[in-house]
Amino acid sequence: MGTIKISNIRVYAYHGCLVEEGKIGSDYRIDLSVKANLQPSSKSDHLADTVDYVHLNKIVKEEMAVRTKLLETVASLILDRILLEIPLVKKAKIKVSKLNPPIGGNVEMVSIIMERKR
């Protein structure tokens, strides 16, 4: 078993409960890690034998482009797609952060962390 991590994926998206958030949007940061058997790819040197992080990044970007009210919802959708589309992944963990959230204070970011396994 091994871990593949993608850190600090930056996207601009329109998540949030406030009407303004859907119109103005905000910056988001996503950190993702997946666990999979990396032994076959370490021996074969073939992309088909591992988890393609380009595919992971594509899933994150596509799901972040669909507006939701809650970070929990978009994180869940990303995890669902990873497990559905990439059979090699045994476990996935995601951290979705909204930078400079509109919560009435000097707050750098709010984050949620979720994980799923087969």
Side-chain angles (χ1 to χ4, degrees):
M1 197 65 75
T3 303
I4 294 174
K5 291 184 178 186
I6 304 177
S7 301
N8 202 19
I9 302 168
R10 297 282 185 140
V11 297
Y12 196 85
Y14 298 87
H15 304 290
C17 294
L18 302 175
V19 173
E20 294 81 16
E21 291 174 298
K23 293 178 182 176
I24 299 167
S26 187
D27 289 306
Y28 293 83
R29 172 186 169 170
I30 298 92
D31 299 297
L32 179 66
S33 66
V34 297
K35 292 198 179 285
N37 182 359
L38 302 180
Q39 288 299 321
S41 60
S42 70
K43 294 182 182 355
S44 73
D45 198 32
H46 293 292
L47 181 59
D49 293 334
T50 192
V51 177
D52 184 353
Y53 47 81
V54 172
H55 190 174
L56 292 170
N57 189 53
K58 178 179 180 259
I59 290 171
V60 168
K61 286 183 173 182
E62 288 177 356
E63 291 301 326
M64 288 298 292
V66 179
R67 181 168 166 28
T68 63
K69 291 181 182 174
L70 301 177
L71 298 181
E72 293 89 328
T73 304
V74 72
S76 181
L77 293 169
I78 292 167
L79 292 173
D80 287 346
R81 272 194 64 192
I82 290 169
L83 294 176
L84 178 70
E85 295 179 20
I86 309 173
L88 287 174
V89 172
K90 302 301 178 205
K91 184 178 181 182
K93 183 176 182 179
I94 190 167
K95 177 180 174 184
V96 179
S97 303
K98 179 183 273 193
L99 306 180
N100 303 309
I103 60 174
N106 187 10
V107 177
E108 180 181 357
M109 73 175 110
V110 294
S111 303
I112 62 97
I113 300 170
M114 295 176 74
E115 61 183 86
R116 295 251 170 81
K117 62 182 177 179
R118 288 193 195 282

